[in-house]
Amino acid sequence: MRKIGIFGGTFDPIHFGHLRPALEILDALSLDEIHFVPAGQPPHRGVPAAPATLRLEMLQAAVAGEARFRVDEREITRHAPSYTVDTLAGLRGEFPHDALALIVGMDAFLGFPGWHRWQKIFDLAHVIVAHRPGWVLQSAGVLADTLSQRLAYSISEMAKSVAGRILLQPVTQLEISSTQVRACVATGGDPRYLVPEAVRALILNSHCYMQHTEH
Ligand code: ATP
């Protein structure tokens, strides 16, 4: 049984706060690979600032040096709202016998109860929650209940099944967000060292965040 991580996001743009935790999770949990799945039109937020093709290009450039990082274009080419549960159902069909693990930051996990058919996610995949600066779990509520039923204390415990457990994974805390990168560029700043050099070059050459105002 292989162990495949799935890391969804808007990646507008991809930054080191995505890449370093992903690498640490890959190594700590001995995943075979991580599939980065950029959202086409994310259902929970406004239209991304950079077009999907450019977000995809930045992602491909960012992961080019790590063979275990893959880019999965399915949500970009779907031309419909990108529901994670549908993406996972597609991947489950392709990898029926492998462990699938959806990787999310703590902020995203806290938003789970608002996601389309979110309980179904656990039938399709495990969920690995990466700690993220500024976000903590509540001790009560539907998410706390779900966690108490599904919490795994180790990867070996998790790997006994192909889906259904939740693992809380400490990672290096990098307080970087795509919002911060966009704001930096929009105000004439240089996103150097927040993103890989190849991503920085694509941002500066395309001027994609120059005129952007957050809404
Ligand atoms: P934005 O600022 O535009 O909302 P973002 O930086 O949160 O973007 P997303 O593409 O929305 O990036 O996030 C994709 C996934 O990566 C989410 O699960 C999110 O929780 C996680 N993530 C993003 N940044 C970090 C970080 N610095 N540390 C841990 N997880 C992160």
Side-chain angles (χ1 to χ4, degrees):
M1 178 170 89
R2 295 194 315 148
K3 291 179 283 191
I4 300 171
I6 297 136
F7 194 9
T10 314
F11 302 122
D12 187 22
I14 179 109
H15 53 70
F16 284 130
H18 298 122
L19 290 162
R20 180 68 205 178
L23 184 66
E24 290 181 2
I25 287 169
L26 183 83
D27 287 338
L29 309 186
S30 301
L31 301 182
D32 292 279
E33 50 201 41
I34 292 181
H35 297 213
F36 288 73
V37 189
Q41 172 50 58
H44 301 105
R45 49 190 288 162
V47 179
T53 46
L54 182 58
R55 289 185 289 115
L56 185 61
E57 198 180 348
M58 291 191 282
L59 188 49
Q60 282 162 339
V63 305
E66 172 50 69
R68 295 168 297 171
F69 282 174
R70 310 281 173 83
V71 178
D72 183 324
E73 300 180 18
R74 74 186 63 213
E75 292 193 0
I76 298 269
T77 50
R78 190 183 283 154
H79 298 303
S82 318
Y83 292 117
T84 299
V85 69
D86 297 334
T87 297
L88 291 174
L91 285 160
R92 176 50 72 205
E94 287 166 39
F95 303 102
H97 307 298
D98 293 325
L100 298 180
L102 178 69
I103 299 166
V104 292
M106 183 61 84
D107 58 309
F109 183 65
L110 295 180
F112 255 35
W115 288 22
H116 181 59
R117 298 176 69 214
W118 69 281
Q119 300 276 16
K120 175 80 181 157
I121 287 175
F122 300 104
D123 294 338
L124 298 165
H126 298 300
V127 175
I128 297 170
V129 184
H131 292 182
R132 187 171 185 184
W135 299 90
V136 288
L137 271 172
Q138 298 103 340
S139 53
V142 67
L143 210 51
D145 293 346
T146 303
L147 189 64
S148 67
Q149 290 158 19
R150 299 185 177 278
L151 188 63
Y153 291 94
S154 67
I155 183 62
S156 52
E157 194 184 340
M158 189 176 214
K160 287 178 187 153
S161 55
V162 297
R165 306 301 299 271
I166 300 172
L167 190 73
L168 303 178
Q169 183 64 23
V171 293
T172 299
Q173 296 291 279
L174 294 169
E175 200 167 0
I176 303 173
S177 68
S178 300
T179 302
Q180 173 198 5
V181 176
R182 294 193 299 272
C184 165
V185 177
T187 52
D190 186 337
R192 194 175 189 197
Y193 303 144
L194 293 172
V195 300
E197 268 304 298
V199 174
R200 172 176 174 253
L202 284 164
I203 290 173
L204 297 182
N205 291 338
S206 67
H207 306 285
C208 60
Y209 301 128
M210 295 293 189
Q211 301 300 322
H212 184 64
T213 45
E214 295 294 330
H215 48 116

